[in-house]
Amino acid sequence: MTSILRVGLDVPLDRLFDYRAGDASGAEPGCRVLVPFGPRQVVGVVVERADASELGHDRLKDATRVLDTTPLIDAELLSTLRRAARYYQHPLGEVLHTALPAALRSPKPLPVQVATLLALTDEGRLALDDPKRRRGTRLAALLDLVGEAPVPIAELDGLLPNARAALRTAISRGWIERRGDEAAVRREGVPAPPLNDAQREAADALVAARGFAPFLLDGVTGSGKTEVYLAAIAACLARGEQSLVLLPEIALTPQALRRFRERLGVDVAALHSGLGETERARAWLAAASGDAKVVLGTRSAVFVPLPRAGLVVVDEEHDASYKQQDGFRYHARDLAVLRAHALGVPIVLGSATPSLESLANVASGRYRALRLAHRAGLAQPPALRVVDLRGKALQHGLAPATLDAIAATIARGEQALVFKNRRGYAPVLMCHDCGWSAKCPQCDRALTLHQATRRLRCHHCGFAQGVPRSCPSCESLAIHPVGQGTERLEETLRARFPEVPIVRVDRDTTSSRRARDALLDQLPSAGARILVGTQMLAKGHDLPHLTLVVVVGVDEGLHSVDFRASERLGQLVVQVAGRAGRAERAGTVILQTHDPDHPLLKVLLNGGYRALSTQLLDERRVASMPPFAHFALLRAEAKDSAKLDAFLAIAAASIDDERILAHGPMPAPMPRRAGVLRAQILLEASERTAMQEFLARWIEPLRERPEGKALRWSIDVDPVDLY
Ligand code: ADP
Ligand code: ZN
Ligand code: ZN
């Protein structure tokens, strides 16, 4: 028996730590162990067992004890995480700990599986209220007890001994049900609408696929992509297989969960940021045991073990929130593909606005495209209309034609959505007399004015200060907000439409997930109203009464320097536009711009996202940009510019591969944030393998350099943001 455990610890060192198995001799790879680390006892994950250690047996410490009887991270997940750690150049120990829910990173016992509640159903309530019901039985006592308040199953025996038989009776009569954490489990699924031909074809292709098979489900908003997923998941359920569904945080609403639960008729394990640590761990463990047949989660749900996997779904696959922006900088969509490959199951990436990466994979034949070209049911596609702002008398950014269109929508008793991707009142506060403007002292960026709280805030570092009464530079009283954020748009609309309910949705009005869900919950209701918000409004609840969408900040997207800006603008416009006219009523989308003849806008108007993405892909090919080239970004930050320069000079000097093109060292697009200087080197290769080979050689020695230990630096493989 091998006696050395090679353990991944949650430390930023790219190596494993060897321990003598000691009392943890039963620990297999994938099991957690408690081990001494310096003066502390820490949780680690066994990656390998070995006969010998380079350190020599005698110099090793004993592992303290094993925490799992069977591997918590199964063989497939362990091997995929090892590949991911290599691909993203991130220490394996940290990768393993990122994959585990927080509650499982501690040595405490695993949270009890499915601590479900017993709750009275509507029928149970009727039985309880029936004046003729029998009393004095266990069943009657049980109804009385559960009728007062739902009871955790684990507490039943203590509260009412010998009631298990009565419980079985009550459940079989439909009086009492077991309830999950979020909603009652419906045993009978709600019937699906009959799929149309395009949906049928797509669902059949997914159901028929065997082994690893990547699909792109390219379907306009409202075309019924979710129905296709549901049909494929139902087929998995019938085979006893698990499905994993990834959604962006903002799309994983209670409404979405309910739809999956009701339709599939099984409990759906949810994993999102609104859950407590214990609940997350429970959902994770339910997936690991194979009990949870359907797992619906956000980015980090890509790490759940799936011992009986049948299908992986990534909805809104273009969404930038799938990329983790700190620590282990993985892309959940790309990892999902890697996992589906390792699990040997089909994966479907769905979007109304597919990423250029996925479209390129279709073009090269790696992914198979499934198309849903039309909206399901009666819904009409919205009409796109440009409102030319040039020379118009604007009311805080809104053109007269826009305001007229909103008025007409309201008069019809319908809803309008005004979209602006900037929260706060105004992005700039400026002095009319001397030109001074409020800047963040730590970032050199403009401070955003928040009128309701009378604060100037930095959206990059959190710095905040009061609003000065007079110009700090010339003491003039003529300081004015310039430009508009959602708060100001709301004010303008309130003044113009005083009778109409207005709801603003942005990070300021939805500080907690609960507040957000409550706010989003009230949006769909009937009656004239105006919704104002940031991209938080671009997805989420169905809004059946919404017939007008106004995009206020088109020009910012048209004139950005970020190479992904045009792709993002196109996606955003098409996504918000997709919210209009989902029911029988046709919708209109207004794009306000000073540049109505901009070529990208014309392509989008005439050919939609399809034409835009084709053109952008051509441009990227010509310019050797991703997905036709592969990027990695070395970022460094320090208070001291000499340290920054020293480290990046060493990093640049050790680039010795002619297949790698290096840009920099150069200041980051945001050269100072929160008082820290930032600089970077952007690496480019035309082949992914060349980049991988080079990084594997380049990064490790850099980690050893004292110049690198004197500051913070990181490597971002396939960066989404060049910031
Ligand atoms: P997507 O995910 O592509 O945005 P959904 O699956 O949410 O689209 O469907 C949009 C709307 O159309 C939903 O209200 C859904 O119930 C309805 N729908 C989808 N497929 C059908 C169908 N085959 N027949 C009738 N209604 C459908
Ligand atoms: Zn001034
Ligand atoms: Zn700042």
Side-chain angles (χ1 to χ4, degrees):
M1 182 68 178
T2 54
S3 60
I4 306 292
L5 305 180
R6 313 206 63 214
V7 178
L9 298 180
D10 194 8
V11 293
L13 297 174
D14 195 13
R15 48 168 288 209
L16 298 175
F17 294 83
D18 292 356
Y19 291 90
R20 287 192 303 246
D23 289 339
S25 61
E28 295 169 47
C31 285
R32 295 169 310 149
V33 283
L34 195 64
V35 293
F37 188 69
R40 295 180 300 145
Q41 291 282 325
V42 299
V43 173
V45 176
V46 178
V47 174
E48 294 167 348
R49 298 197 59 143
D51 291 316
S53 167
E54 286 173 16
L55 275 177
H57 201 264
D58 294 342
R59 293 183 53 201
L60 298 183
K61 291 185 184 157
D62 280 342
T64 310
R65 65 189 160 94
V66 61
L67 297 172
D68 306 307
T69 44
T70 56
L72 194 57
I73 294 184
D74 64 22
E76 175 276 324
L77 185 54
L78 187 58
S79 107
T80 306
L81 292 173
R82 293 181 81 162
R83 283 187 64 186
R86 274 197 302 277
Y87 184 80
Y88 290 106
Q89 301 293 330
H90 199 79
L92 178 58
E94 284 193 346
V95 169
L96 291 166
H97 283 81
T98 305
L100 289 175
L104 300 178
R105 290 175 222 152
S106 102
K108 291 198 213 96
L110 300 185
V112 183
Q113 274 295 57
V114 281
T116 41
L117 294 175
L118 298 172
L120 217 54
T121 62
D122 291 346
E123 294 89 288
R125 182 64 59 193
L126 286 177
L128 182 66
D129 293 342
D130 184 353
K132 296 197 298 279
R133 80 182 170 111
R134 287 179 58 194
R135 303 200 174 259
T137 61
R138 276 276 141 212
L139 187 57
L142 180 67
L143 284 188
D144 283 331
L145 176 72
V146 177
E148 268 170 35
V151 174
I153 290 184
E155 290 169 26
L156 179 64
D157 293 333
L159 291 166
L160 189 69
N162 303 321
R164 291 281 162 163
L167 177 60
R168 277 193 294 278
T169 309
I171 288 174
S172 69
R173 289 186 192 172
W175 292 350
I176 286 181
E177 66 185 2
R178 291 198 190 86
R179 217 169 257 185
D181 295 326
E182 301 218 10
V185 180
R186 288 258 188 121
R187 284 301 153 201
E188 274 151 64
V190 172
L195 297 185
N196 60 38
D197 290 347
Q199 285 174 312
R200 181 82 272 153
E201 208 174 298
D204 285 350
L206 295 178
V207 173
R210 287 286 163 270
F212 173 64
F215 293 91
L216 176 68
L217 180 59
D218 178 354
V220 300
T221 310
S223 60
K225 293 184 291 296
T226 311
E227 294 300 334
V228 172
Y229 308 147
L230 285 164
I233 293 168
C236 276
L237 281 173
R239 293 196 294 256
E241 292 171 352
Q242 294 177 291
S243 306
L244 169 66
V245 182
L246 299 185
L247 294 172
E249 178 74 40
I250 193 76
L252 213 178
T253 58
Q255 201 185 40
L257 256 174
R258 215 175 305 135
R259 183 171 176 193
F260 274 76
R261 287 198 165 117
E262 292 183 350
R263 182 63 62 68
L264 297 168
V266 297
D267 210 355
V268 171
L271 275 163
H272 57 74
S273 68
L275 298 177
E277 286 188 5
T278 311
E279 290 166 299
R280 284 184 75 88
R282 239 185 245 142
W284 201 90
L285 291 169
S289 68
D291 286 347
K293 289 289 182 274
V294 183
V295 180
L296 209 60
T298 51
R299 181 173 66 220
S300 64
V302 75
F303 300 122
V304 298
L306 296 166
R308 286 199 274 287
L311 178 70
V312 178
V313 177
V314 182
D315 194 26
E316 311 284 1
E317 64 88 31
H318 65 279
D319 199 281
S321 74
Y322 282 124
K323 172 82 176 179
Q324 168 91 15
Q325 298 285 17
D326 53 18
F328 172 32
R329 294 167 187 263
Y330 64 95
H331 198 301
R333 176 198 59 216
D334 298 346
L335 275 192
V337 174
L338 201 66
R339 287 209 67 197
H341 186 268
L343 290 162
V345 300
I347 176 167
V348 53
L349 311 179
S351 178
T353 54
S355 63
L356 297 185
E357 281 77 6
S358 295
L359 289 171
N361 278 323
V362 168
S364 71
R366 275 195 292 272
Y367 293 179
R368 183 170 151 201
L370 305 169
R371 294 217 165 83
L372 305 179
H374 305 289
R375 289 188 168 197
L378 301 167
Q380 299 295 310
L384 253 54
R385 186 180 141 199
V386 164
V387 165
D388 186 352
L389 296 178
R390 287 174 300 182
K392 303 293 185 324
L394 303 183
Q395 271 195 43
H396 298 306
L398 296 173
T402 304
L403 289 165
D404 290 347
I406 295 174
T409 306
I410 298 301
R412 288 193 305 271
E414 297 167 359
Q415 298 180 356
L417 186 163
V418 177
F419 173 83
K420 166 87 193 199
N421 219 1
R422 192 181 282 269
R423 68 195 165 94
Y425 190 82
V428 178
L429 183 69
M430 188 177 264
C431 172
H432 188 60
D433 286 328
C434 77
W436 167 90
S437 68
K439 292 224 171 62
C440 175
Q442 323 199 56
C443 303
D444 308 325
R445 289 288 167 108
L447 291 170
T448 300
L449 173 64
H450 288 252
Q451 193 75 282
T453 49
R454 294 296 298 158
R455 305 288 279 174
L456 288 165
R457 290 183 185 285
C458 175
H459 288 184
H460 303 284
C461 75
F463 171 88
Q465 66 178 49
V467 181
R469 297 191 161 272
S470 59
C471 173
S473 171
C474 76
E475 291 177 22
S476 158
L477 292 176
I479 46 178
H480 297 296
V482 179
Q484 36 317 115
T486 47
E487 195 187 344
R488 192 177 208 179
L489 287 169
E490 181 190 5
E491 182 190 84
T492 307
L493 291 162
R494 272 194 204 288
R496 168 75 195 258
F497 303 102
E499 316 286 297
V500 182
I502 298 184
V503 188
R504 172 157 62 92
V505 181
D506 56 30
R507 267 211 283 147
D508 297 323
T509 61
T510 59
S511 46
S512 71
R513 192 184 160 102
R514 198 172 294 275
R516 187 194 92 193
D517 286 346
L519 195 65
L520 292 180
D521 245 349
Q522 69 178 67
L523 298 187
S525 55
R529 57 175 68 208
I530 302 175
L531 321 178
V532 183
T534 57
Q535 66 187 7
M536 294 186 82
L537 274 177
K539 26 187 114 70
H541 290 46
D542 275 354
L543 302 172
H545 306 285
L546 181 72
T547 56
L548 176 68
V549 167
V550 178
V551 183
V552 177
V554 174
D555 293 347
E556 291 147 35
L558 289 176
H559 301 290
S560 165
V561 290
D562 185 337
F563 81 96
R564 288 188 210 269
S566 332
E567 177 187 4
R568 291 232 180 98
L569 175 71
Q571 288 167 342
L572 210 51
V573 167
V574 172
Q575 292 283 345
V576 254
R579 311 228 52 181
R582 288 202 88 166
E584 301 72 33
R585 282 163 282 202
T588 305
V589 179
I590 288 182
L591 305 176
Q592 292 200 145
T593 178
H594 281 98
D595 197 356
D597 297 321
H598 194 288
L600 283 181
L601 216 48
K602 292 212 134 152
V603 174
L604 189 61
L605 281 172
N606 295 332
Y609 184 75
R610 171 152 300 230
L612 179 69
S613 56
T614 306
Q615 174 166 335
L616 291 176
L617 267 177
D618 283 343
E619 290 176 13
R620 297 263 192 100
R621 185 182 293 110
V622 171
S624 292
M625 294 287 233
F628 302 100
H630 303 277
F631 282 178
L633 187 60
L634 179 80
R635 295 185 180 88
E637 50 179 65
K639 289 220 159 114
D640 176 355
S641 69
K643 282 186 183 170
L644 205 55
D645 295 345
F647 173 67
L648 289 177
I650 283 169
S654 59
I655 299 173
D656 58 355
D657 191 325
E658 69 220 7
R659 298 170 302 173
I660 302 295
L661 196 60
H663 308 272
M666 58 189 171
M670 206 175 147
R672 199 162 74 98
R673 187 160 78 191
V676 178
L677 301 173
R678 309 160 80 239
Q680 60 192 33
I681 301 176
L682 179 65
L683 303 166
E684 187 186 326
S686 56
E687 298 297 330
R688 196 184 291 281
T689 47
M691 179 64 87
Q692 284 289 308
E693 283 166 22
F694 166 70
L695 290 177
R697 265 202 331 271
W698 187 54
I699 292 294
E700 215 180 294
L702 277 184
R703 284 192 212 282
E704 301 304 321
R705 299 291 305 213
E707 294 86 347
K709 290 179 178 163
L711 46 64
R712 282 168 57 101
W713 65 274
S714 64
I715 183 82
D716 189 350
V717 179
D718 303 331
V720 164
D721 255 315
L722 298 187
Y723 269 64

